[in-house]
Amino acid sequence: MVNEESILNLSIIIPCYNVENYIEQCLNSIVQQAVLPKEIICIDDGATDDTAVIIQAFAEKFSCVKYLYQTNQGVSQARNAGINQATGQYIQFVDPDDILHPNLFATFLNILNIDGAIELFYFENQRFEELENLEFNNNDNNLIKFSSGNELFAYLIEKERYPAACWKYIFKKKMLNVRFEGRNHEDHLITLNILLSANLSYYTKAPLYYYRKRSNSLTSNKKISKQYVELFAQVIDKCAKYVQKSNLLTKTKTQYINFLRSDYLFNINIYYLHREKPPIVEIYTHIYARLFIKNKSKMLSNIIYMIRYSFRKKIPLKHIMILIRAVLNKDINFMNNKINALLN
């Protein structure tokens, strides 16, 4: 019989699609903890393997495990379905191929006992490849308290520890004011909304979430589509507008937006890892970085730089005119569209 005092008022939401090789390990890392969540909602996103069989076996054995089916709609809609079904005061998103640290929920319960007003608990992650080789790190368990999610967000940005992944924190459900959209980069706006909506927050450097490096992950197979990159350009625009309306310090806003823009160029580089990147794309991304990441603001200096750079790189006239327009207007959407159009 489970001690009710060791049950968290927490809903775990796990979107599942063809993860028969991983979901059992994931669920074991949850149900074997000393402190259990109120419910573990597994959304079968139209899996065609034995994912459903494995989840249903856990549901028969553990009353907290709930199985939910939907036709394949993608991870965003699967998470949204989980949110709609969640009855817990708190929510945590977990990916079905990842592992939770054995002390994650005990650590969160300890914080709740210290300060029941907590709205957000943010923790670090560690990457692994095989469960047999995984060693749980118990070091650096010190907690840092922040009076608001804004303060925590500024801290994470300053320390360059903000990847926007939605599985790096536990949060109060009432804070969630938006829903997941799209099939890629779906974390960014959600995480931004949650952090900037939070009041009392805690953070630990301890890696309490273990992220599996799979052979078919984005950075492993090195193949993403043009549409994927184009979508990220739209995400940047949405998040930049959202954060500009916040009461964060200007420095923090700039650092965050530069983080997004750097990630955009990173995605372009991944896109070209299995192709030959045209020199003209290198030129455009170089100017993009100067204008929108390094934020060179003096127009005259940028124009002089553009002219010298154009002669040195022997840039065709039609591209010189486009780049000069970018220098004059510093319109990031214009520049994004031009770069995306150049992707082959």
Side-chain angles (χ1 to χ4, degrees), residues 253-302:
K253 293 178 182 179
T254 300
Q255 288 174 322
Y256 169 71
I257 293 171
N258 284 349
F259 154 75
L260 286 176
R261 293 170 178 173
S262 297
D263 205 13
Y264 170 68
L265 296 187
F266 172 75
N267 275 266
I268 290 175
N269 287 332
I270 292 178
Y271 174 83
Y272 276 112
L273 277 177
H274 67 291
R275 304 174 178 90
E276 182 179 355
K277 184 187 291 187
I280 194 64
V281 174
E282 289 279 9
I283 290 167
Y284 271 77
T285 53
H286 174 79
I287 298 301
Y288 177 101
R290 177 181 173 87
L291 296 179
F292 302 111
I293 298 177
K294 296 179 181 177
N295 283 316
K296 300 291 185 178
S297 57
K298 294 183 179 179
M299 186 177 294
L300 180 58
S301 173
N302 286 332

Side-chain angles (χ1 to χ4, degrees), residues 12-249:
I12 304 295
I13 296 175
I14 311 177
C16 303
Y17 178 75
N18 290 357
V19 285
E20 62 180 3
N21 294 329
Y22 309 106
I23 187 61
E24 181 177 359
Q25 295 177 357
C26 176
L27 289 174
N28 276 331
S29 76
I30 300 174
V31 300
Q32 292 175 3
Q33 302 219 6
V35 178
L36 294 177
K38 177 181 181 181
E39 59 189 1
I40 305 165
I41 305 172
C42 300
I43 304 93
D44 176 359
D45 188 34
T48 57
D49 62 1
D50 284 337
T51 294
V53 175
I54 297 170
I55 297 172
Q56 289 167 353
F58 270 86
E60 290 177 5
K61 187 176 180 181
F62 301 95
S63 60
C64 60
V65 177
K66 299 180 179 180
Y67 172 80
L68 180 66
Y69 176 83
Q70 68 175 27
T71 56
N72 183 250
Q73 299 174 52
V75 64
S76 290
Q77 293 308 315
R79 286 179 178 144
N80 288 339
I83 293 168
N84 294 337
Q85 293 292 319
T87 62
Q89 183 182 18
Y90 293 89
I91 286 178
Q92 181 187 0
F93 298 110
V94 174
D95 281 354
D97 49 353
D98 296 341
I99 301 293
L100 302 189
H101 191 288
N103 294 331
L104 171 56
F105 297 150
T107 303
F108 182 55
L109 180 59
N110 180 53
I111 299 173
L112 279 173
N113 290 334
I114 295 171
D115 201 333
I118 179 176
E119 294 191 351
L120 176 70
F121 176 39
Y122 199 98
F123 37 82
E124 289 301 337
N125 65 284
Q126 184 171 309
R127 193 167 63 175
F128 76 100
E129 293 187 23
E130 298 297 335
L131 186 61
E132 309 82 67
N133 302 325
L134 180 58
E135 294 184 4
F136 293 111
N137 186 348
N138 290 304
N139 297 329
D140 205 357
N141 247 330
N142 292 332
L143 298 170
I144 305 176
K145 181 178 179 179
F146 296 89
S147 62
S148 70
N150 278 21
E151 289 184 8
L152 170 58
F153 180 81
Y155 175 86
L156 294 171
I157 292 295
E158 181 68 29
K159 300 295 183 180
E160 298 183 349
R161 305 192 73 88
Y162 179 80
C166 69
W167 36 256
K168 286 179 65 70
Y169 49 85
I170 294 172
F171 66 98
K172 269 195 173 177
K173 182 183 179 182
K174 69 175 185 179
M175 293 160 39
L176 191 55
N177 302 312
V178 296
R179 288 295 186 266
F180 289 93
E181 297 179 5
R183 287 178 176 260
N184 303 113
H185 310 295
E186 69 283 344
D187 293 15
H188 284 274
L189 194 57
I190 290 285
T191 296
L192 191 61
N193 172 261
I194 290 171
L195 261 74
L196 299 190
S197 300
N199 292 309
L200 182 64
S201 305
Y202 277 80
Y203 165 77
T204 178
K205 290 182 181 179
L208 299 180
Y209 188 101
Y210 288 77
Y211 172 79
R212 189 188 303 266
K213 180 183 177 182
R214 292 169 58 180
S215 59
N216 62 344
S217 67
L218 171 63
T219 53
S220 296
N221 71 14
K222 301 178 177 61
K223 291 184 180 180
I224 61 175
S225 67
K226 179 180 178 180
Q227 182 183 23
Y228 184 95
V229 178
E230 291 173 342
L231 177 61
F232 196 26
Q234 297 173 24
V235 170
I236 289 175
D237 184 50
K238 287 182 180 179
C239 291
K241 288 178 179 176
Y242 188 96
V243 80
Q244 290 289 16
K245 295 178 182 178
S246 73
N247 59 358
L248 292 166
L249 294 176

